[in-house]
Amino acid sequence: MTGQGPLAPVPTRRGACGAAGRPSARGEARVAPATLGPVAQGVTSRSRVGRITLLTVGLVVALVAATLVSASVGQLGISPAEVLRTVGRSIGIPVAGPSDDLVAQALWTIRFPRVVMALVIGAALAAAGVLMQAVFANPLADPGVVGVSGGAAFGACASIVFGLQFAGYWTTPLMAFAAGLVATMLVYGLSRAGGRTEVVTLLLTGIAVNAFTGAGLAFLTFLGDQQAREQIVFWQLGSLNGSMWDQAAAIAPVVGLGLAGSVVLTRSLDLLSLGDRAARHVGVRVEAVRIVAIVVVALLVGAAVAFAGIIAFVGLVVPHLMRMLIGPAHGPLLLVSTLGGALLLTIADLLARTLVPYADLPIGMLTSLVGGPFFFWLLRRARRRSGGWA
Amino acid sequence: MTGVTVSGLGVVVGRRALLTDVDLVVERGEVLALVGPNGAGKSTLLRAIAGDVDHTGTVTIDGVPAGSEPPIAAARRRAVLEQEHGVAFGFRVGEVVRMGRAPWRGTDRAEDDDRVVARVLDQVELADRIDQTFPSLSGGERARASFARITAQETPVLLLDEPTAALDLRHQEGVLRIARAHAAAGGAVVVVLHDLTLAGAYADRVAMLADGRVVADGTPAEVLTAERISTVYRHPVTVLPDPHSGIPVVVPTRQEAVQ
C-alpha cells in the first residue's frame, strides 16, 4: 500500500480550509486530491531541472573552450589545434601533423600548469562561497568573514618577513594554509557559547579577528625590508604567474577533498535556510553541519590562497549569479558554481596575461575590478525584480 | 496513549524564571490550547516540549525525554511551527514544503513525498502557488506554507506557536480544523493561541498560563470563565454562549468604544 503514512492527519477531502475552492488567479479549477498527477509533477519543478541541465552543459562547453584558448594565447602563439595535438600525443594518441618540441615544452611546463591552477582555484573559491552563504543563510557571506583569508595572509607574510625556511619552498603556502585554518578555528571557538553559535556573534567575532590579523599584517609590512614588502604586496594582489605542476599537485587533492565534503553537506544546507531551530526540528544536526562546513571552507580557501595569494570576489559573485539562474537548491548550485568559478578564473587569468602586452597583471586586482561593479549591477537588478535579495 | 507529558517543568534564563513547576498531559487524540497574556511563558513551554531549551523537571513525547535523542529521531516524533517563518534564499513553495519531508529521507515513507506535499498544499489552499518563490508570498500565505511544511512532516505530535496569527478569518478556521483532524486521526496537538474564542471552539482542553505557571487546566467551559479571564488578562470580559453551538465566545468589555 502506497497510501498515506501511519498517521494520516486529515481525511482526504477537498481542502480542509472549506469546501468552496477559492477561484485561482489563473482561472483554473483547483486540483482535488483525487487527481494528484499534475500537482505532484509540479513539485519537482521541471523548468528548474531543464535550466540546470542546460546551464551545466553550457558551462562545460565554455570551460573546455576557455581552457583551449587560454592554453593557446600568450607570448608564444600556439593554435588551439596544436594544443589538442600536443595533448593527444602526450596521452599516446597517434596524431598526424607536425610536431614541435618547443611548443610542447612551452605548453607542458608553463601554460598547462597555470591553466590547471586557475581551474582548481576557481572551483575551490566558488564552492567555498556556496558553503559560506548557506551556513550564514546570507547571500553576502564571503569566505573572508570567518577570518580564513586574513589569517592566511598573516601566515604567508610572517613567513616572508621572518625569512622562515623550515619547509623550504613550501614554507609560505604551508604557513598561509595553517594560519588560515587557525584563524577560522579561533573565530569559531570564540563565538561558541553553550554548545551553540549564533550567526551574528560569528560574524562579529570574524570582524574582530579580521581587524586583529589586519593589524598584524600592517605591523609585518612595517617590519619587513623592501624586498619583503614587495613580496607581501604581490601575495595580497594574487597571481597565477609561475604556477608549477607540483603546486597543482599539492592543492588539487585538498580541493578535491573539500569538494567531496561540500557535496555531502548540500542537503543539510538546504534545510539550514529554514533557520537554525527549524532546521533542527526537521532533523539537522545544525552545529555539526556548521563545524564541518567551516572546516571545509578553510581547506578550500587555504588551498586556493596558498600559492596564488588572495583572489577576491569569485566566492561572492559566482554562487550569487548561479543562484539567480537556477534557484537556491544547494546540490545543483554547488555543481554549477564549481564549474562557473573554474570558468571565471580561467578567463580572468587569460585576461591578466594578455590585456597588457608583456605584463602579467595581478589576477586578484582584475577579479575585484570587474567583480565589484558586476556585483553591484546584480544587486540592483535583483532588488528591482523581487524587492530584495535573489 | 500519551502524547506529551510535562511534570515539574522549570525554565530559568539568566536570573528570570520563565516557567515554574508546570504539569501538563496531552493525550493522543487531543488538542490542547495554551493561552495566557504576553510573556506568560507559552512559547517557552512549547520550546521546552520541542527540546529546544534547558529545563528542570521532565518533558516527554511518546515517553521519550525531550532533547534526549538525535534531532532526526525527534523530527519523526514531533513537528514544530514557530512564530517566525522566514526562509533564506528564494526557494519555491513546493521546495519549502518538501523540506518537511526531510526526516523520512531514506525510509519507505519517502515514497509518499509527492503525494503528501500535494495534499498539504491543497489543504492550505496554496496548490496553485507551488512554483512561486517563498519570499514573494504575502505574510499570511507564508504562514500557511510553513504550516503545510510542518504537517508534511507527518509526526504524531504537532507543536504550533500561534499558527493563526497572520491569517484571515477563513484560514484561521481552516488551520485549526486541520489541527483538529490531526488529533481525530490519533495525533496530539499543542497550540498556542491568543484568540480565546478560537481556543474554546477547537481545543479539547485549555491550559491558561500566567507568570510562568499554569493557573487553570480543563475543558474550555471550565477554564474560559469571565471571572478568570478578567483577572489573568487584567481586562474585563463577558463570556457568552455561541447561539449555534453553545461554545463560549469571549468578548472584551469596551467602555470607550463608539456606540
Side-chain angles (χ1 to χ4, degrees), chain A residues 87-113:
Chain A
V87 174
R89 237 175 249 124
S90 309
I91 56 175
I93 302 169
V95 192
S99 135
D100 186 337
D101 282 346
L102 183 68
V103 166
Q105 207 191 349
L107 283 176
W108 282 106
T109 56
I110 300 169
R111 299 261 172 92
F112 286 163

Side-chain angles (χ1 to χ4, degrees), chain A residues 1-26 28 30-33 36 39-48 51 130 133-140 194 196 267-286 323 326-330 386 389-390, chain B residues 28 47 50-53 70-76 78-82 86-92 94-96 98-103 105 109 111-119 121-131 133 135 141 144 149 151 153-157 170-171 173-175 177-187:
Chain A
M1 145 121 189
T2 54
Q4 289 153 351
L7 188 94
V10 173
T12 310
R13 64 185 149 120
R14 240 186 128 216
C17 285
R22 185 188 44 166
S24 87
R26 282 176 255 148
E28 305 157 344
R30 246 163 26 82
V31 183
L36 284 175
V39 176
Q41 279 171 11
V43 171
T44 57
S45 298
R46 269 178 303 175
S47 60
R48 272 194 180 171
R51 281 189 138 192
V130 170
Q133 292 170 18
V135 164
F136 289 98
N138 187 330
L140 284 180
R196 285 182 190 169
R267 285 193 188 282
S268 303
L269 295 181
D270 282 345
L271 297 174
L272 271 191
S273 57
L274 294 172
D276 286 2
R277 236 190 338 249
R280 193 158 41 240
H281 291 156
V282 290
V284 180
R285 290 161 67 197
V286 174
R323 202 179 291 112
I326 62 157
H330 288 94
S386 57
W389 308 115
Chain B
R28 293 278 198 109
R47 281 183 188 167
D52 289 342
V53 291
I72 187 77
R76 292 172 183 173
R78 53 97 183 103
V80 187
L81 181 72
E82 296 182 275
V87 176
F89 307 120
F91 282 97
R92 295 185 182 191
E95 292 172 319
V96 171
R98 189 171 287 267
M99 290 178 188
R101 299 297 296 166
R105 178 168 296 129
R109 291 179 63 170
E111 286 173 22
D112 295 335
D113 285 1
D114 290 345
R115 237 187 319 277
V116 173
V117 170
R119 175 170 55 79
L121 274 172
D122 194 57
Q123 276 178 3
V124 297
E125 301 186 330
L126 286 175
D128 56 341
R129 303 297 176 93
I130 193 163
D131 279 334
T133 60
E141 287 169 337
R144 276 147 60 200
R149 171 173 68 74
T151 50
Q153 214 169 323
E154 290 196 313
T155 54
V157 173
R170 169 190 176 80
H171 291 105
E173 302 287 328
V175 155
R177 208 149 46 218
I178 295 169
R180 266 245 61 89
H182 183 88

